[in-house]
């Protein structure tokens, strides 16, 4: 009997030791292998296929330095932890060719060394942000660097991981920042990996926007693409082997059939086009000379071509309750004009509601005298709305009178009965040529002599139409200082125009599908802050005492059962 009891005790000891060894082994292996099962409904911890492909195709080491290290408010600590988890996930997929580290700009450095280190970061384009941290009885300022630096071979790309959005709460901004972590990081990795740049042609020859008025946009795309102006009138054809995308920015002169044919065959052979158009001449400078003017029609002669592709850009202005203000003289004091800001309905501020990767989670976008777009014609073309006006908007068709005095009038809500007017649309599919069946024998002979083969239909292709020619515009320079694209000098705000345009170009030219990671959504599950504050002590007591009580109860129950069984 005694031997049986000893054998049972030994068996129990062996089982416990075995379980302990298994747990120790699992813990030891977990230090070398990172793995988790994503049980979230939105799959927030699952990398997109394009991200995995980029990470598995690395042929050299990628190093990521994250400067968001230190003691920060809870929101930034959450962003810090999410960034670490994302980088760990990248490391899990890429293996030994991916390394990362978190760096505290203060740790191990005296005041002068910190100053020198921050200067080095600024030279790389990494600038700090100021935080107002609430303590027990006051606020204190703190500097944070929500940046990562991606290095591959001899190239470096800084990545800003904090997504600021106008009109969003701090929690929503933080949530969107976490949602965009994968995209922002993998885009930087893809950028440093690229050995050759895509070709971007910016059209000229039809009264397009002057270079000085869009220099910031051109300089930005020149960092990642081989961008150059192209006069469509003087070249024989648009070379698809050199040009991946054509950008047409606010033309003001009529397109000839020859120019339209060149653009069409560029599309039929796989070229991508971004049309950034104004159909009416909305010019705020004209109102400085007189209170009212009639907006003339540009007559671009593009209606038939765009209709065949699936859209119609209307000769009209969109007015919106959600708009940017303009300063207007409101009186005089000592013969000095006194200005007041009034809403200017012709400058709609668009908040993206689209779930498409191009415009999802974008900040507000400023438009100036935009037109509206109708999706028409070819039903085989997929049409995705990227930008639209608010539910309080209206349409003023040509001939359109623009009167600056209307700013002082109280708009009637009943007039704003044309909601959600399309300002930008993405077209995808197999485009038909408007010249199919219209090629004369003489023209066919001319094409043969130029070794050009006419194509009546494209393979799967895509283009984007934006009904606001001023979306790329940067404000007029003052001296040597140049404002950025999307900057509005009257309110000193920078809108997300440039981000939207760059996303458009990325979507048109990127074949890896990396931009799909922008569509990731993380649901915001917020706590009731006042309730948390009121019930803080109660839940602390429950969380501390309840586990102890459960352990004691389990111990008592176990001993009671054991005594009953072996007594």
């Amino acid at each position: 009997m005694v031997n049986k009891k000893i054998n049972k005790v030994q068996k129990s000891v062996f089982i416990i030791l075995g379980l302990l060894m298994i747990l120790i082994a699992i813990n030891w292996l977990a230090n070398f292998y990172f793995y988790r099962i994503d049980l979230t409904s939105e799959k927030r911890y699952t990398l997109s296929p394009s991200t995995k492909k980029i990470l598995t195709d690395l042929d050299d080491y990628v190093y990521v330095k994250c400067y968001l290290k230190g003691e920060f408010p809870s929101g930034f600590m959450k962003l810090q932890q999410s960034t670490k988890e994302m980088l760990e996930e990248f490391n899990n997929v890429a293996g030994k060719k991916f390394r990362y580290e978190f760096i505290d700009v203060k740790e191990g450095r005296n005041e002068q060394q910190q100053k020198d280190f921050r200067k080095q970061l600024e030279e790389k384009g990494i600038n700090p942000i100021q935080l107002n941290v609430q303590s027990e009885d006051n606020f204190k300022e703190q500097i944070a660097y929500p940046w990562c630096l991606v290095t591959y071979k001899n190239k470096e790309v800084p990545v800003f991981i904090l997504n600021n959005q106008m009109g969003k709460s701090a929690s929503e901004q933080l949530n969107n920042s976490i949602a965009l972590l994968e995209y922002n990081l993998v885009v930087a990795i893809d950028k440093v990996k690229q050995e050759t740049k895509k070709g971007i042609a910016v059209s000229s020859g039809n009264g397009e926007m002057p270079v000085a008025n869009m220099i910031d946009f051109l300089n930005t795309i020149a960092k990642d693409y081989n961008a150059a102006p192209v006069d469509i009138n003087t070249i024989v054809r648009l070379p698809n082997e050199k040009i991946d995308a054509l950008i047409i920015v606010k033309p003001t002169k009529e397109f000839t059939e020859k120019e339209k044919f060149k653009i069409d065959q560029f599309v039929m052979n796989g070229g991508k086009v971004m049309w950034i158009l104004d159909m009416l001449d909305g010019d705020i400078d004209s109102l400085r000379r007189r209170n009212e003017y009639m907006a003339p029609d540009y007559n671009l002669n593009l209606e038939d071509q765009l209709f065949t592709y699936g859209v119609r850009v209307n000769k009209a202005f969109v007015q919106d309750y959600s708009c940017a203000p303009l300063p207007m003289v409101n009186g005089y004091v000592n013969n000095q004009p006194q200005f007041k800001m009034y809403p200017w309905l012709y400058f709609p501020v668009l908040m993206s509601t689209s779930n498409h990767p191009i415009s999802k989670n974008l900040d507000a976008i400023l438009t100036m005298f935009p037109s509206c777009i109708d999706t028409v014609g070819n039903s085989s073309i997929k049409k995705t709305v990227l930008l639209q006006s608010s539910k309080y908007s209206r349409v003023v068709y040509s001939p359109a009178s623009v009167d600056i005095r209307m700013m002082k009038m109280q708009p009637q809500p009943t007039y704003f009965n044309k909601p959600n007017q399309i300002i930008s649309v993405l077209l995808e599919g197999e485009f038909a040529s408007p010249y199919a069946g219209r090629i004369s024998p003489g023209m066919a002979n001319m094409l043969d002599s130029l070794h050009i083969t006419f194509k009546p239909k494209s393979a799967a292709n895509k283009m984007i139409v934006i009904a606001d020619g001023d979306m790329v515009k940067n404000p007029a320079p003052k001296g040597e200082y140049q404002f950025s694209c999307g900057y509005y000098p009257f309110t000193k705000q920078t809108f997300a125009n440039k981000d939207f345009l760059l996303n458009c170009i990325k979507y048109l030219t990127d074949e890896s599908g990396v931009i799909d990671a922008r569509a990731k959504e993380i649901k915001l599950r917020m706590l009731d802050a006042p309730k948390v504050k009121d019930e803080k002590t109660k839940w602390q007591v429950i969380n501390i005492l309840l586990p102890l009580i459960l352990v004691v109860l389990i111990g008592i129950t176990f001993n009671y059962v054991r005594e009953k069984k072996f007594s």
Side-chain angles (χ1 to χ4, degrees), residues 129-163:
I129 64 168
Q130 199 83 25
L131 300 178
N132 289 320
V133 184
Q134 186 175 5
S135 59
E136 291 292 331
D137 51 357
N138 60 359
F139 286 89
K140 65 176 183 178
E141 292 185 346
Q142 184 179 1
I143 289 176
Y145 285 84
W147 289 86
C148 291
L149 184 67
V150 178
T151 305
Y152 180 78
K153 296 182 178 177
N154 296 321
K155 291 188 283 187
E156 290 182 337
V157 173
V159 183
F160 190 59
I161 59 174
L162 181 63
N163 186 39

Side-chain angles (χ1 to χ4, degrees), residues 21-33:
M21 290 178 68
I22 291 170
L23 289 172
I24 292 170
I26 291 171
N27 247 328
W28 181 76
L29 290 171
N31 290 324
F32 300 95
Y33 300 99

